[in-house]
């Protein structure tokens, strides 16, 4: 069973930079997993931020960026703002038609 | 404007059945794969099922054999037929328009509660 790992929580100061990661319990994440990232604030539907590792979805500010760092996918938020305080989920496409979510990272901006 | 609107959620008995629908508009429905993703109360997101443009279907192990995804391209509608429901199926179910390899556009969700 494929397990996608994320930090349970993270905090960043307003204006600061934070990098959230997305790994595999067994193995390395590469672009072949087409990592994607989603933001969800309480009571709201998720919003697509990044797909295919580093492509920003329409309307997403360029302070959100995606990459591969070492053996993990990464989401970097540069110049964090108060309304970035959300849950962030990564997804890996692990086989034809099969996607796996990470457990999510709760980001606090304070 | 792309829209996907879920309906059909509600209260179901343990062991019961429920059918969710998702009405799509603002895009060529037949040209896109579609997915269902769920979120149990206070928990993370979980991929449930995907149906391709050609009708190929895929399921998470947790629902395989109990849930059936389908689509009616003439009605621009996605469905999720759920059987043998258990408490673990209690969740908000989101209908999602897919991009290639990712979830592109999310509906607002419909709540399914399984309880006696």
């Amino acid at each position: 069973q494929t397990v996608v790992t994320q930090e349970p929580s993270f905090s960043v100061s307003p204006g600061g930079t934070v990098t959230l990661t997305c790994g595999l319990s067994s193995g390395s994440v590469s672009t072949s997993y087409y990592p994607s990232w989603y933001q969800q604030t309480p009571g709201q539907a998720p919003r697509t931020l990044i797909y295919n590792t580093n492509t920003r979805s329409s309307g997403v500010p360029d302070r959100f960026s995606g990459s591969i760092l070492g053996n993990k996918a990464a989401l970097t938020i540069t110049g964090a703002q108060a309304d970035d305080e959300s849950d962030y989920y990564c997804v890996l496409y692990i086989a034809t038609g099969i996607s796996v979510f990470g457990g999510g990272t709760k980001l606090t901006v304070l | 404007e792309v829209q996907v609107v879920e309906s059909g959620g509600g209260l179901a008995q343990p062991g019961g059945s429920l059918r969710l629908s998702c009405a799509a508009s603002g895009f060529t429905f037949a040209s896109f794969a579609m997915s269902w993703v769920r979120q149990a109360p206070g928990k993370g997101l979980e991929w449930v099922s995907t149906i391709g443009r050609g009708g190929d279907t895929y399921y998470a192990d947790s629902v395989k054999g109990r849930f059936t995804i389908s689509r009616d391209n003439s009605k621009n509608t996605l469905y999720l037929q759920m059987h043998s429901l258990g408490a673990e199926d209690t969740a908000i179910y989101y209908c999602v328009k897919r991009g290639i390899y990712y979830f592109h556009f999310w509906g607002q969700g419909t709540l399914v509660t399984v309880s006696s």
Side-chain angles (χ1 to χ4, degrees):
Chain A
Q1 181 181 352
T2 301
V3 177
V4 177
T5 61
Q6 295 185 248
E7 299 88 357
S9 62
F10 229 116
S11 64
V12 61
S13 300
T17 296
V18 62
T19 297
L20 312 182
T21 68
C22 175
L24 281 169
S25 55
S26 174
S28 298
V29 177
S30 68
T31 56
S32 299
Y33 286 95
Y34 304 97
S36 53
W37 293 89
Y38 306 85
Q39 177 191 47
Q40 187 182 35
T41 53
Q44 299 296 314
R47 168 198 182 195
T48 304
L49 293 177
I50 300 286
Y51 61 94
N52 291 354
T53 304
N54 56 15
T55 302
R56 272 185 298 277
S57 192
S58 176
V60 174
D62 60 7
R63 54 198 183 78
F64 291 90
S65 62
S67 64
I68 299 291
L69 287 181
N71 62 351
K72 296 183 179 182
L75 173 70
T76 299
I77 306 172
T78 304
Q81 300 179 359
D83 60 5
D84 295 335
E85 187 161 292
S86 301
D87 295 325
Y88 292 86
Y89 295 91
C90 73
V91 170
L92 300 180
Y93 188 81
I94 63 167
T96 301
I98 308 296
S99 300
V100 180
F101 279 86
T105 297
K106 183 177 182 63
L107 180 67
T108 301
V109 180
L110 51 74
Chain B
E1 178 191 4
V2 173
Q3 284 196 333
V4 290
V5 180
E6 304 92 338
S7 60
L11 180 64
Q13 297 280 324
S17 300
L18 210 56
R19 189 178 83 155
L20 306 182
S21 299
C22 170
S25 61
F27 64 100
T28 306
F29 179 73
S31 296
F32 290 88
M34 298 291 294
S35 291
W36 291 97
V37 173
R38 69 184 180 183
Q39 186 170 36
K43 302 297 185 183
L45 298 168
E46 179 189 18
W47 170 74
V48 173
S49 182
T50 293
I51 185 165
R53 295 176 296 172
D56 43 318
T57 58
Y58 308 90
Y59 299 93
D61 288 344
S62 58
V63 306
K64 199 174 295 182
R66 300 187 300 122
F67 289 11
T68 301
I69 191 172
S70 62
R71 64 192 302 161
D72 185 336
N73 290 339
S74 69
K75 297 181 178 180
N76 289 347
T77 302
L78 176 73
Y79 302 100
L80 185 68
Q81 178 68 56
M82 305 184 292
H83 295 296
S84 303
L85 287 164
E88 69 277 11
D89 298 313
T90 293
I92 296 172
Y93 284 73
Y94 294 102
C95 169
V96 193
K97 171 181 176 284
R98 293 219 31 131
I100 299 175
Y101 308 124
Y102 70 104
F103 304 102
H104 181 205
F105 189 87
W106 301 70
Q108 289 302 305
T110 187
L111 177 62
V112 172
T113 303
V114 183
S115 175
S116 56

